[in-house]
Structure formats: structure tokens, C-alpha cells
Amino acid sequence: MRWSQMYAPTLRDDPADADAASHRLLVRAGFVRQLMAGHYSLLPLAVRVRTKVVDIIREEMGRIGSQEWILPAMHPAEIWQRTGRWEVMGDEMFRLKDRKGADLALGMTHEEIFTTLAHELSSYKQLPQMWYQFQTKFRDEPRPKSGLLRVREFTMKDSYSFDLDQAGLDRSFDLHHDAYVRIFARLGIPAIPVQASSGSMGGSASVEFMSPTEAGEDLVVHCTACGYAANVEKATSALPAVQDPDGLASPEPFDTPEARTIEELARQHGVPAEGQIKTLVYVVDDRLTLVLVRGDHSLVEQKLIDATGATAVRPAQPEEIEAALGASPGSLGAVGVTGLTVLADEALRGRRAMTTGANRDGVHLRGVDVERDIAVTRWADFREVVAGETCPNCPAALEVVRTVEVGHIFKLGYKYTETLDVTVLGPDGSRIKPIMGSYGIGVERAIASVVESHHDEKGIVWPVSVAPFEVVVVPIGKNDEETTKVVEDIYEQLRADRVDVVLDDRDERPGVKFADIELVGIPYRITVGPRGLKEGVVEVVSRATGETTRVPVADAARTVAGLVAESR
Amino acid sequence: MRWSQMYAPTLRDDPADADAASHRLLVRAGFVRQLMAGHYSLLPLAVRVRTKVVDIIREEMGRIGSQEWILPAMHPAEIWQRTGRWEVMGDEMFRLKDRKGADLALGMTHEEIFTTLAHELSSYKQLPQMWYQFQTKFRDEPRPKSGLLRVREFTMKDSYSFDLDQAGLDRSFDLHHDAYVRIFARLGIPAIPVQASSGSMGGSASVEFMSPTEAGEDLVVHCTACGYAANVEKATSALPAVQDPDGLASPEPFDTPEARTIEELARQHGVPAEGQIKTLVYVVDDRLTLVLVRGDHSLVEQKLIDATGATAVRPAQPEEIEAALGASPGSLGAVGVTGLTVLADEALRGRRAMTTGANRDGVHLRGVDVERDIAVTRWADFREVVAGETCPNCPAALEVVRTVEVGHIFKLGYKYTETLDVTVLGPDGSRIKPIMGSYGIGVERAIASVVESHHDEKGIVWPVSVAPFEVVVVPIGKNDEETTKVVEDIYEQLRADRVDVVLDDRDERPGVKFADIELVGIPYRITVGPRGLKEGVVEVVSRATGETTRVPVADAARTVAGLVAESR
């Protein structure tokens, strides 16, 4: 390919509305354009990258024996109604009617449709089956943003496994887990596998693959020493044991007219936050509930949901709190409270000499012994892990990283084969329901995630595996016969070696060309100019390291082809 | 690939609802399954075929310098409203609203969206541009049918060209024309390029590529001798000159009480159909109009529309006819009619001694000299060509073939750059509107069209270029060590030669395997059995010709790889 024949509209300036680095750079470097919020056109450079990403995923799916299908993107409502997800999906599902008035959905995912196809399986001998597709998914995101990271229309590689029993599912799940680890490694995405909750999918277990990025909306607690990783909604940490003084025989009220927050109490009365009890009031499935955490800790609402099994939780309104406790937020506490559920975080267990609100405005209690003075209904882990706390599995300090989900794998269990009534004949002649897994990677989000972790101030730094071109050959200086000949020779040799190469034949100054090449992010640049040729050399520049090497003309193509082959 | 690892559910019987051969065979051979009318799942065998079809199209697009994009399938209504097609597309466009109530369309085609992207072109130096994509199109067909031939959701390769002037458009159009000819030849689709009308696309010229099939809904008039081809709506033919006798001095009425049709008049009164004038009454844009064709000819309504430039035509109601002519259908004629537009088909020019209705029920006129006795407002070609008539360009006889459209290319002109206001800076500093072309191939319909023209009573007969596998190796007889070794060797040699081969390792009788292989349509079968091995040979069978050759074991892989390479 010659650059002059290629439509790659680079922009001088960052787009005004771009927050994420990948958004900014993919627009500036001429890879994507927005049609409307959440819908992007992929330009030729992006299609080249996407093709390589798809090929890598396809290869790894083939390697574990998964077979490629393509299912419709538009579905009859009826199938979604049978599994109950016509309702569950709510506003996130795009719905429409056809000319005859039939209700239709645009596929957000394809559990229902693949399960319908599994009706044709007749015998346990046909199991396991692993099926996948690359197909457009439509999701009416409430806030599409960050370029390709959070969109309403995208390509998903979604896979589904059907097994005879739990051991089979475990095996299919592990095969996908390992394939995903290989895929993300090959794409250059530093994805962290994290235990996660299954959400609307149902099922017993799931692992999310999370890629660090400042544009992410999910916090992951991660130990680089032992590999422990968990979503902040599930993560725990080890806290140093606290030796409290004996304290008072019973709690003692004291006036705190100006102290309504943990910080004010600490500043005005010298009570450190870790010596305070934070009393939060929630409505958990219509039931007013006190949740106690240490003053310097934060509650994770998901942990409250998980611990109680509640379907709806919300902070109580001031009126509800006033009615139940007789005081306003700022002076609340659980000492002496009866008739309400009191949930306490494990970090409060055994603590004495603590301070908390007295349920009288402007008054707190000190000398509180939590287990002695508070009728705790239930102890559990409710607090949010903070960076620097100790890993629960090893002595290292935890990191908390902002991430985006790049893959998600689920053990679905029997939910879909049950509701859609799929069975096969078992070895003993009985009907057996296959057990399912599902596994997804968003292709365009993967592209953006590569950019999130591979860029610098000059532009994108593609890994060779997914770069739109592996090498660019650039003639500079006056276009004399010798330069042209050397350039064309190197270009043709690289093509013959099956290197994905572009010849920058544009009539532009070297500075303009180099800036575009760095912005677009091509891994290797071979610069051919009269000055070097006088000494029989060309310049090879690595985009990733910036390293420049002078290479004899005759060796240039072979040397660079070697560099490329090494890092493919 | 080993057959035992492949999900290819062949069926013993034809599906009940399948009309077209491709529908019947693609279902039976395990390539497709219907989700709902007009929406099909592609199974792994079909995905293999589709990938090869896409690769061939992509290669030919690359060869003419077209660049691949991917645009959203979901569009804001606003862009379609600007070109007026939000209304024009009517019920055929799927429409929906998002969670905020914004109007959206699912793309039926992408002229609007690609033209929007052309806004970024700034200079004539960037022209021409040729852009294409493979993207799902959604069309709410009133009667989806015939399997993959007429669906509501399908992949389209759609291309768009932007040129500086008409000469540039002509060049881009010709490049696509020739690329399409190559594509259909490589796919094995015997497509006939046909001049066509542009319909809702607008523009000045278009060519349809029509593939013969009994399941088609479009009639094409075709001369295999000189290549003349036209849609029946446009086609003409040469008729032998007629030498009428001198006839009467003026028309003479005669009673025909029982003759209300051309056939009745011929039978009862001995007037051959070619000696009669058929008088049809139409309402052409609210204007009652007589249309005259020879008794044995049929009117093509599209020719009436084209000749008059009308936007709406319909046959007149009996009451309207009675009011205007004073008689009922069966006795109508144009002799002596004034005050109405009278359109006459060219085949009536110069005819004398003709018979027509007298505008009195039960009475006809004979001895009519058309030019003398009828006030013809306008002569034009209105008649439908019939098989066996002479080609307008050569002495051969015409065929009329039932076809389906497999490709369509349009010279769009300025319609979209005008309404969406796209200009580039011209060589002289003025703003110039690019002129556009658009070009489409339906991928799944192409697959079905291949099957329509490549099947027999046993199943599909794929051309090598798009076959799901090029070769199948089949061990038969008891699985002794030697057979297994020979089979594995041939399989591995073929793989090493980059032949797309499947090993039929299923535990089935040879008859079952052979029937499946013929149904699925794999071009070459290598059968390895103990009987042949005793003589050192294997059997090579061609699916297309049925020819069986005995080939020495050592030559088998090389021989078959050669056959495959020849016909790729």
C-alpha cells in the first residue's frame, strides 16, 4: 500500500469532546469518526487493526475447538420473553416493531438464540459443543462516552458452551479462560482476570478481564506480588490488628455542637477517624437498617446487597432517620438501639474506646465498646479496600486501579437450557439438560484498550500484532533516482517477506511525514535519504523505544522483517 | 478439521416450507437455520463459505483501489430526513426510538452516511475516493422468502465512489463493473449484466447483475449469441415485418356478441391475435389514457411509466371506462376517439386490415388502418418481449430467464453531495461538488445464488473457490492400521499444501458418509479403503462430474492438490 492511495485523515488538534486517550488519538490519527453518540465509523486504518484483532481471536477460538457461526442481530421478542429477559433488560435493549406490528429486539447478547439452536442436539455424544460468532451487538447505554470504550453498537465475539455436566462446564470455562489470557497477551492488553458477579446473565461463577485505564469506570483491587485481583465490590484486605485501651465502664456522652462529620469530630475533639464508628442508615428491601463501618472506612453498597441478599437498597431519607432514631445525620449511633437490624463491618469487631453519635443532635458518646454496647445483628465485610492496604493472600501492598472490562466469562448453569427446554439423550437413555457457559470480548473496546495502554505524547504506539501497518518506508530529501530505487527495493522485499508495509510516497516535508507516522503509531520506520545513502545506510526507528539504528541498505529489509517477526 | 469435531447437522428430508433449491439444500445440508421469517443463522459450514465469498470480493475491491470501512448499522433519522429518504423508504425501513426518544433508522443502504463522511474531503487532489464496507443491512421486506434469497437482514458489500467530474464517475463505474464481472465469475455465479432503472437511488444510469434461477422474481431478456441483456421492463426485440393486404376503404362494424377477449374473437371469427388491436385503458397521473398493443402482445407497465414520465399509473375502473368510451372492456377501441391521449405500440405502426372493438358492446370493427383511422397521440415501445423473438442487435433468438439480482451498480450523480452539501476545493479555487456512484453485492444472496446454479439431485455442488472444504478424505472398511496411516498421511500432506481439507473420521457406514459429502457438496473426495490399498491405490471422485479415478497412494495428495489449484 502507498500512503498517497490511502485515506488516513490525521488532524492537527485533539477533538474538543474527547476525554479518554484512546478516543482522542483514534480520532486525531484518522481511525474513527463519530456518527452520533455511541456510534462510530471505522476508517480504513481502523479496519486494518480490527481485522488483525478478529484474526487473533478467531485463531485462539479455533485452537480450543470452538466453531464459528453468525446469528441474526434482530430477534423475535417471544424468545426473550420466555427467559424473562425481555423485561429484565429494561431500557438497555433496543426494541422495535416490523411492518406487521410484531415485537422485535436488537441482540444485546445471544444466549437465547444459541440455546434455541441447541434444540437440534439430540445425544450426549454430540457434547461438548463450543460455538461462537462475531456479531454486532446493540445496547442502549445511558451514557455512551469515551470513544470506542463505551458505545451503543459494537462487534462482539461471543461464545457459548454446552456440556453434559458440571465437570464439562468447568473444562470449557477453563479452556476459554486460558484462550482469553492468550488473546489479551497477543493483543498487548494487560488484562487482569478478576472474580466478578454474574449480573443479568445468571449463573454460578464469572471472571472479568479488566484492563487498566484512566478512562475506566470500574475499580479493581490488585496485588502485583501474588496476582490477587478482585473488583472493588468484592475485594478484601488484611488490616493491622488494633490494641485499644480498656476504655470506660460505659459510654459517656459529650457535647459536639459543631461536629457533624467524621472530619469535624476529629479536628474539633481530637478523636481520630479510625477511633470513630460511622453509622449509615439504609432501607434494605423496605426495612430500615443501620450499617456500621469504621470512621475512616467507606461502605460498598454491593457488599450490603450481597450480605443481605436484598433486591433493592437505598440510603434512608432524613425524615425516615429522624423518625426512627430521633436525631439527624451527624449525631447518629447504634448504642442502645433495639428493634432495628444493625449490620457491622468486621473491622469493628473487638474495638473498644470508640466514639459514635448519641442519637441526640449535637451529642456524641465516647468509650463505646462495640460488642458490649451495640446489639449487632450481623457481622460481615462491608468496607471498601483502599490502595496500600495489605493483600489478603500475601504481605504485599494492594493497588487499586481504574479499569475497563475487556472480556467476561460466565458459568451460566442451566438457566437457558431450563427455560428454553433443551435436552439431549443421556448415556442411560434419560433426557439430560446440557449445562452452559458464555464468554464475550468486545472487539472495538479491545482496540481502544490497546491504545489506552500503548500511547505517548506523540500518538499511538501499536504492538506489532495489531498495528495497521508493521513497517513504513519513507523517502526523504530530493527524490533522486537512487533514493527512489532503494525505497522501492526495500518496499518490494518486505512485501515479498509478507511484512505489512506502507510506502510513504506523499509529497510532504519529512517533519509532516514523521509526525503523522508517530501519531498513527506504525512500529518500525525505515527512512531513506541521500545523506545516509552516501554512506550506504538507511535509518531504522522503533516507535516504541525511539531507538534509531543505521543499517546497511542491503540488510535493511531483512533486518526489519526479522524485528517484526520477533514481535508478532 | 476432522468431521467428528464439526457441527454439520444434515437432515434426511427436505424442509417442508422450502421453495427454492438453495433454501432446501442449505437447510438440509446443515448450512442455515431460520430464526424467524427473513432472518437466518449461519452454521459453521456456511460461515466457511461466507468467509471465502467475502475474501474474493475484498480482493477484487482492493484490486481497483477501493478502501474498506465499517460504518454504523444504526443511524440518526435526521440524516435520512435531509435527503428525503426517511419518507421515501416507507415501510421497508426499520425504525425505532432510543431511551431518550430520539428517532433512529436501521441502515438499508449507506449513501447518506458515507456522504456525511465525505465532508472531511477538502481538495480535488483527494479525488477520486472509492470506499466500501461489509455491513449488515436491515430491510423490512413485505414477503421474505426463498431462504437466503430474500431476507430482512443480510450482509452487504456496499461501495461508494466520489469523483471530480462525470468522466471520473464513468471510470469508477467501469472499474466496479469489471470488478463485479470478475467477482461473479470467481464465485461461479453466471450473472448477466443488465441495464436497469435506478429506483429510489436516483441517478443517471445503473446496471443490475442478474443470476438465472427458477426462484427469481425478475425476468431478463437475454441473447446468448451477442450478449444483449435487459430487464423485461426495458427489453426490446426485432419483429418480422408484416405485409397486410390493402383492406377496406373504412372500418366496418360486425357483431361479436359472444367475443369479449382476443382469444374468443380469434376462435369465433377467425381473426388471428396478431391481426387484432388490444385496447387498454389506464389512468396515467389522473388522466384517462388509451394504450394500444397488438392482440398477441402484452403491455409492460414500466414502459408506460418511462414513456410518459408519470409518477402513478393504474388500470382504469370499469365505470371510468364506460363513462369515457360508452362501452365495457371486451369491445373497446380507439377508432374515432378524440379528447383522450392515445398511446400506440410501435408494432402497430403501418398495420392495416386490423380488427378492434367498436366502443359498442358486442360489436367490433374490421379493416382498420391504424395510422389512417386512429388519432395516435404518441408512438412508443410498450410491449413485453417473449422468448424466441429476434434479438434487437443480432439475428439470434432471445431467451427470457427468471433471475435474481446479485449485484447492482449506480451512477448516482449529485443527489447526495447536493442535499448533504459536500464540496471540495477545485483546481481553480472554486467549490466543486463531487459526483457519486454506489455499488452493492448481497453476500448471503450470493451464497444462495451459487447453490441455485450449482446443485443436482444429490445435493450442492460447490465450485472450489467457495466450497466449505475443497477436499474430504474418507477412510472406509475396517479401520486397520494401514488405512489409518494412509488417510492421516494424505490429510497432513494436503494441509501442508494449504488445501482446505476435512477428514471424515466419523464412525458411520460408507453410504452415510458419501451421501452427506454429496449433500454438503465438497468438490473432491479421496476414498481410502483396504481393497484399493491392496493394489496401492485410492479413489478420487469429482463431485461435479462424478468421475472416479484410481490414483497411486503416493501421488494422491499431489494430484488432488493440483486439481484444486487449477479450479480455485
Side-chain angles (χ1 to χ4, degrees):
Chain A
M1 164 80 47
R2 283 157 200 272
W3 200 301
S4 63
Q5 303 301 308
M6 181 169 85
Y7 185 65
T10 54
L11 306 178
R12 200 168 316 188
D13 301 310
D14 282 341
D17 60 335
D19 44 356
S22 60
H23 184 189
R24 185 166 53 77
L25 289 169
L26 287 170
V27 170
R28 259 193 73 195
F31 286 73
V32 304
R33 294 295 183 260
Q34 181 179 291
L35 173 61
M36 59 180 164
H39 299 262
Y40 281 83
S41 298
L42 304 188
L43 276 65
L45 283 176
V47 173
R48 298 184 73 92
V49 173
R50 182 180 177 281
T51 302
K52 293 183 185 186
V53 170
V54 165
D55 284 348
I56 287 174
I57 298 174
R58 182 175 283 141
E59 204 175 297
E60 295 296 343
M61 286 297 105
R63 206 161 136 181
I64 62 171
S66 191
Q67 298 193 66
E68 188 172 355
W69 296 54
I70 303 176
L71 270 50
M74 190 180 281
H75 309 161
E78 188 265 332
I79 295 183
W80 286 84
Q81 285 159 347
R82 283 178 66 189
T83 62
R85 295 210 293 181
W86 179 257
E87 284 74 36
V88 170
M89 291 308 195
D91 281 350
E92 208 164 333
M93 187 147 80
F94 281 110
R95 296 151 204 260
L96 69 164
K97 285 178 189 289
D98 69 11
R99 62 163 76 213
K100 289 174 184 148
D103 280 314
L104 302 167
L106 295 179
M108 306 176 57
T109 176
H110 278 72
E111 279 77 13
E112 278 79 356
I113 314 300
F114 266 108
T115 306
T116 303
L117 285 155
H119 270 121
E120 234 178 298
L121 296 171
S122 55
S123 159
Y124 74 96
K125 292 182 191 163
Q126 292 174 282
L127 299 183
Q129 289 290 340
M130 291 193 282
W131 295 343
Y132 77 101
Q133 65 173 346
F134 290 93
Q135 177 58 299
T136 306
K137 301 288 192 255
F138 297 91
R139 295 182 184 175
D140 197 353
E141 280 281 342
R143 291 170 302 115
K145 60 178 233 180
S146 305
L148 296 186
L149 282 175
R150 192 167 292 279
V151 293
R152 303 204 302 181
E153 172 181 353
F154 62 98
T155 313
M156 187 173 217
K157 188 290 295 172
D158 44 329
S159 307
Y160 305 84
S161 63
F162 298 85
D163 275 283
L164 191 62
D165 52 26
Q166 182 69 46
L169 171 58
D170 291 347
R171 187 178 157 277
S172 295
F173 186 86
D174 290 347
L175 282 172
H176 280 90
H177 184 285
D178 295 351
Y180 276 35
V181 168
R182 287 193 299 271
I183 288 167
F184 293 123
R186 292 179 65 184
L187 299 181
I189 297 176
I192 307 167
V194 171
Q195 300 296 329
S197 87
S198 302
S200 67
M201 286 295 174
S204 61
S206 86
V207 169
E208 285 175 317
F209 291 83
M210 308 299 292
S211 180
T213 159
E214 281 172 27
E217 298 190 339
D218 294 308
L219 294 176
V220 165
V221 176
H222 185 214
C223 173
T224 52
C226 74
Y228 171 80
N231 195 301
V232 79
E233 296 182 344
K234 288 209 158 193
T236 60
S237 66
L239 291 181
V242 178
Q243 280 303 328
D244 286 320
D246 275 357
L248 309 174
S250 64
E252 174 185 283
F254 64 109
D255 287 340
T256 54
E258 303 295 326
R260 268 168 302 269
T261 67
I262 301 288
E263 294 68 33
E264 286 165 356
L265 198 65
R267 205 170 50 243
Q268 296 166 21
H269 300 274
V271 185
E274 55 270 32
Q276 299 185 40
I277 301 169
K278 191 186 285 180
T279 306
L280 302 163
V281 190
Y282 270 78
V283 180
V284 176
D285 281 348
D286 299 330
R287 198 186 166 110
L288 207 75
T289 301
L290 302 191
V291 188
L292 312 183
V293 296
R294 214 168 75 179
D296 58 334
H297 289 162
S298 299
L299 169 72
V300 176
E301 283 192 7
Q302 186 63 46
K303 290 186 175 180
L304 177 57
I305 293 170
D306 292 345
T308 57
T311 56
V313 311
R314 62 169 175 85
Q317 297 294 327
E319 315 79 80
E320 294 172 303
I321 295 172
E322 182 79 40
L325 297 177
S328 311
S331 301
L332 303 180
V335 173
V337 169
T338 52
L340 291 181
T341 303
V342 178
L343 305 175
D345 181 62
E346 288 288 357
L348 292 173
R349 206 191 273 273
R351 294 298 305 276
R352 292 174 300 190
M354 301 292 282
T355 301
T356 188
N359 287 337
R360 276 190 285 150
D361 289 345
V363 180
H364 278 77
L365 300 174
R366 64 182 149 218
V368 175
D369 178 323
V370 179
E371 296 187 62
R372 179 192 68 191
D373 300 329
I374 299 178
V376 172
T377 318
R378 183 152 163 224
W379 296 88
D381 171 44
F382 294 110
R383 74 184 160 86
E384 182 176 324
V385 171
V386 171
E389 290 176 359
T390 304
C391 176
N393 297 344
C394 84
L398 292 169
E399 291 179 356
V400 178
V401 280
R402 197 162 272 284
T403 61
V404 66
E405 180 199 294
V406 289
H408 204 159
I409 60 180
F410 297 91
K411 291 187 185 174
L412 293 177
Y414 297 99
K415 170 169 172 171
Y416 299 94
T417 46
E418 174 84 40
T419 50
L420 296 171
D421 194 22
V422 172
T423 60
V424 297
L425 210 58
D428 60 356
S430 65
R431 305 297 310 180
I432 297 181
K433 269 190 231 320
I435 184 166
M436 284 177 66
S438 86
Y439 317 91
I441 294 178
V443 173
E444 289 80 11
R445 182 181 283 183
I447 294 172
S449 297
V450 175
V451 178
E452 287 293 326
S453 49
H454 295 80
H455 68 272
D456 61 19
E457 71 289 349
K458 292 176 186 167
I460 305 173
V461 187
W462 291 107
V464 168
S465 60
V466 297
F469 295 96
E470 294 166 331
V471 177
V472 56
V473 186
V474 194
I476 57 168
K478 58 180 170 25
N479 267 328
D480 57 16
E481 214 169 301
E482 192 192 359
T483 307
T484 307
K485 188 182 170 331
V486 169
V487 162
E488 294 285 344
D489 280 356
I490 293 175
Y491 174 64
E492 289 303 336
Q493 279 177 56
L494 286 168
R495 277 161 53 95
D497 271 355
R498 302 200 159 271
V499 172
D500 193 7
V501 56
V502 59
L503 196 166
D504 189 352
D505 60 342
R506 289 176 298 166
D507 184 19
E508 293 280 4
R509 288 180 298 107
V512 171
K513 291 186 174 190
F514 293 169
D516 270 353
I517 289 165
E518 285 168 337
L519 178 58
V520 168
I522 301 173
Y524 294 101
R525 185 182 89 204
I526 304 177
T527 313
V528 183
R531 201 180 305 175
L533 289 185
K534 259 184 211 156
E535 302 168 39
V537 298
V538 301
E539 241 184 43
V540 175
V541 185
S542 157
R543 175 70 182 89
T545 64
E547 203 186 336
T548 302
T549 326
R550 288 155 62 89
V551 178
V553 170
D555 300 342
R558 195 166 24 106
T559 305
V560 174
L563 290 170
V564 165
E566 266 170 40
S567 44
R568 247 173 204 157
Chain B
M1 165 78 53
R2 282 159 201 271
W3 200 301
S4 63
Q5 303 301 307
M6 181 168 85
Y7 185 65
T10 53
L11 305 179
R12 200 169 317 189
D13 301 309
D14 282 341
D17 60 335
D19 44 357
S22 60
H23 184 188
R24 186 167 50 79
L25 290 170
L26 288 169
V27 171
R28 259 194 72 196
F31 286 73
V32 305
R33 292 294 183 260
Q34 180 178 293
L35 173 61
M36 59 179 162
H39 299 261
Y40 281 83
S41 299
L42 303 189
L43 275 68
L45 284 176
V47 172
R48 298 184 73 93
V49 173
R50 182 179 177 280
T51 301
K52 294 184 183 184
V53 170
V54 164
D55 285 348
I56 287 174
I57 298 174
R58 181 176 283 141
E59 205 177 297
E60 295 295 340
M61 287 295 105
R63 204 160 138 183
I64 63 171
S66 191
Q67 298 193 65
E68 187 170 356
W69 296 54
I70 303 176
L71 270 53
M74 190 181 281
H75 309 160
E78 189 266 331
I79 296 183
W80 286 85
Q81 285 159 347
R82 283 178 65 190
T83 62
R85 294 212 290 182
W86 179 255
E87 284 75 34
V88 169
M89 291 307 194
D91 280 350
E92 208 164 330
M93 187 146 81
F94 280 111
R95 296 148 203 263
L96 69 164
K97 286 179 188 289
D98 69 11
R99 63 162 77 213
K100 288 174 186 148
D103 281 313
L104 302 166
L106 296 179
M108 305 175 56
T109 176
H110 278 73
E111 280 76 14
E112 277 79 357
I113 314 303
F114 265 107
T115 307
T116 304
L117 286 155
H119 269 122
E120 233 179 296
L121 296 170
S122 56
S123 158
Y124 73 97
K125 292 181 192 164
Q126 293 174 281
L127 299 184
Q129 290 289 341
M130 292 193 282
W131 296 343
Y132 78 99
Q133 65 174 345
F134 290 93
Q135 176 57 297
T136 306
K137 303 289 191 250
F138 297 90
R139 295 184 183 174
D140 196 353
E141 281 280 342
R143 290 170 302 118
K145 58 177 234 179
S146 306
L148 296 186
L149 283 174
R150 191 166 293 280
V151 293
R152 302 205 303 182
E153 173 180 353
F154 62 99
T155 313
M156 187 174 217
K157 188 288 297 172
D158 45 328
S159 307
Y160 304 84
S161 63
F162 297 86
D163 276 282
L164 193 60
D165 52 26
Q166 181 70 44
L169 171 57
D170 291 347
R171 188 177 155 278
S172 295
F173 186 85
D174 291 346
L175 282 172
H176 280 89
H177 185 285
D178 295 351
Y180 275 35
V181 168
R182 286 193 300 272
I183 288 166
F184 293 122
R186 291 180 64 184
L187 298 181
I189 297 177
I192 307 168
V194 171
Q195 300 296 326
S197 88
S198 301
S200 69
M201 286 295 176
S204 62
S206 87
V207 169
E208 285 175 316
F209 291 83
M210 308 299 291
S211 179
T213 158
E214 280 171 27
E217 298 190 339
D218 294 308
L219 293 177
V220 165
V221 176
H222 184 217
C223 174
T224 52
C226 74
Y228 171 80
N231 195 299
V232 77
E233 296 182 344
K234 288 209 159 193
T236 60
S237 64
L239 293 182
V242 178
Q243 277 306 325
D244 284 320
D246 276 356
L248 310 172
S250 65
E252 178 185 280
F254 64 108
D255 287 343
T256 53
E258 303 295 326
R260 269 168 302 269
T261 67
I262 301 289
E263 292 70 32
E264 286 165 355
L265 197 64
R267 205 169 52 242
Q268 295 166 21
H269 300 273
V271 187
E274 54 269 34
Q276 299 185 38
I277 302 169
K278 189 186 285 180
T279 306
L280 302 162
V281 190
Y282 270 79
V283 179
V284 177
D285 281 350
D286 297 331
R287 199 186 165 112
L288 206 76
T289 300
L290 303 190
V291 188
L292 313 182
V293 296
R294 217 168 73 180
D296 58 332
H297 288 162
S298 298
L299 169 73
V300 176
E301 282 192 6
Q302 187 63 44
K303 290 186 176 182
L304 177 58
I305 293 169
D306 292 345
T308 56
T311 56
V313 310
R314 62 168 175 87
Q317 299 292 328
E319 319 77 79
E320 294 171 303
I321 295 171
E322 183 80 39
L325 297 177
S328 309
S331 301
L332 303 179
V335 173
V337 169
T338 54
L340 291 180
T341 302
V342 178
L343 305 175
D345 181 62
E346 289 288 355
L348 292 174
R349 207 191 275 272
R351 294 299 303 277
R352 289 172 303 189
M354 301 293 281
T355 299
T356 187
N359 287 337
R360 275 190 285 150
D361 289 347
V363 181
H364 277 77
L365 300 174
R366 65 183 146 215
V368 174
D369 178 323
V370 179
E371 295 188 61
R372 180 192 68 191
D373 300 329
I374 298 178
V376 172
T377 317
R378 184 154 162 223
W379 296 88
D381 172 45
F382 292 112
R383 74 184 161 84
E384 183 176 322
V385 171
V386 172
E389 291 176 356
T390 305
C391 175
N393 297 345
C394 84
L398 292 169
E399 290 179 355
V400 177
V401 278
R402 196 161 274 285
T403 62
V404 66
E405 180 197 296
V406 287
H408 204 160
I409 60 179
F410 297 91
K411 291 186 183 174
L412 292 176
Y414 297 100
K415 170 168 172 172
Y416 298 94
T417 47
E418 175 83 41
T419 49
L420 296 171
D421 196 22
V422 172
T423 60
V424 297
L425 210 58
D428 61 356
S430 65
R431 305 297 309 180
I432 297 181
K433 269 190 232 321
I435 184 167
M436 285 177 65
S438 86
Y439 317 91
I441 294 178
V443 173
E444 289 80 11
R445 182 182 284 186
I447 294 172
S449 298
V450 175
V451 178
E452 288 291 324
S453 48
H454 296 78
H455 68 271
D456 60 20
E457 71 289 349
K458 293 177 186 166
I460 306 174
V461 187
W462 292 107
V464 168
S465 60
V466 296
F469 294 97
E470 294 166 330
V471 177
V472 55
V473 186
V474 194
I476 57 169
K478 56 179 173 26
N479 269 327
D480 57 16
E481 213 171 299
E482 192 190 0
T483 307
T484 306
K485 187 183 172 329
V486 170
V487 162
E488 293 286 343
D489 280 356
I490 293 176
Y491 175 64
E492 287 305 336
Q493 278 179 56
L494 286 169
R495 277 162 53 96
D497 270 355
R498 302 198 158 273
V499 172
D500 193 6
V501 57
V502 58
L503 196 166
D504 190 349
D505 60 341
R506 289 176 297 166
D507 184 21
E508 292 283 1
R509 287 180 298 108
V512 171
K513 291 186 175 190
F514 293 170
D516 269 353
I517 289 166
E518 285 168 335
L519 178 58
V520 168
I522 302 172
Y524 294 102
R525 185 183 90 205
I526 304 178
T527 313
V528 182
R531 199 179 309 174
L533 289 184
K534 260 186 211 156
E535 302 166 39
V537 298
V538 300
E539 241 184 38
V540 176
V541 184
S542 158
R543 176 70 182 89
T545 64
E547 203 185 337
T548 302
T549 327
R550 287 154 63 89
V551 178
V553 170
D555 299 343
R558 196 168 23 111
T559 303
V560 173
L563 290 171
V564 165
E566 265 171 40
S567 44
R568 245 175 203 154

